[in-house]
Amino acid sequence: MYESTTAVNQVHLMRRLIAARLEDAKSAAKHISTFNGLLNQLEDVEWRIFDDKMKAIFLLMTLLKTWEALVVSLSNSTSLTFDRVRGEILNEEIR
């Protein structure tokens, strides 16, 4: 469905990415998988504007206010990467 590189498909996928939120009842692992899927679909339609840091920032933006302490802590980090953010979210969920 998302193989076409038309602007319509790109807009649709960006809307889904921007609207993505970690819901209270949803596991962080499932949320990250969905988020990664959207990023992959955007790359499939030749939308490669996200570097690693931007992916990390977008992932942080999907977290609810209950995750604010983690968001602030990671946002103040000098080494913000997608893998680090993903790992910290998964670690936090385990606690």
Side-chain angles (χ1 to χ4, degrees):
M1 176 178 174
Y2 300 109
E3 294 175 7
S4 174
T5 59
T6 65
V8 171
N9 289 337
Q10 292 169 337
V11 168
H12 174 73
L13 289 168
M14 277 302 294
R15 282 183 174 165
R16 287 184 57 205
L17 184 69
I18 291 169
R21 293 287 176 264
L22 174 59
E23 300 167 11
D24 287 327
K26 193 175 183 183
S27 79
K30 185 171 181 175
H31 173 68
I32 291 169
S33 177
T34 300
F35 184 86
N36 253 341
L38 289 169
L39 289 176
N40 289 337
Q41 289 174 358
L42 281 165
E43 288 179 2
D44 288 346
V45 294
E46 298 178 5
W47 191 289
R48 294 179 181 91
I49 61 168
F50 298 114
D51 62 10
D52 191 62
K53 185 175 182 178
M54 186 60 71
K55 290 177 186 177
I57 291 169
F58 263 81
L59 182 54
L60 287 173
M61 289 170 40
T62 68
L63 300 177
L64 298 173
K65 290 288 184 190
T66 56
W67 292 76
E68 191 65 20
L70 180 67
V71 171
V72 169
S73 173
L74 289 170
S75 297
N76 288 325
S77 171
T78 58
S79 59
L80 188 63
T81 66
F82 182 78
D83 286 341
R84 178 163 181 233
V85 169
R86 180 183 60 212
E88 293 291 337
I89 291 170
L90 293 173
N91 286 338
E92 189 69 23
E93 181 180 48
I94 292 170
R95 293 181 199 166

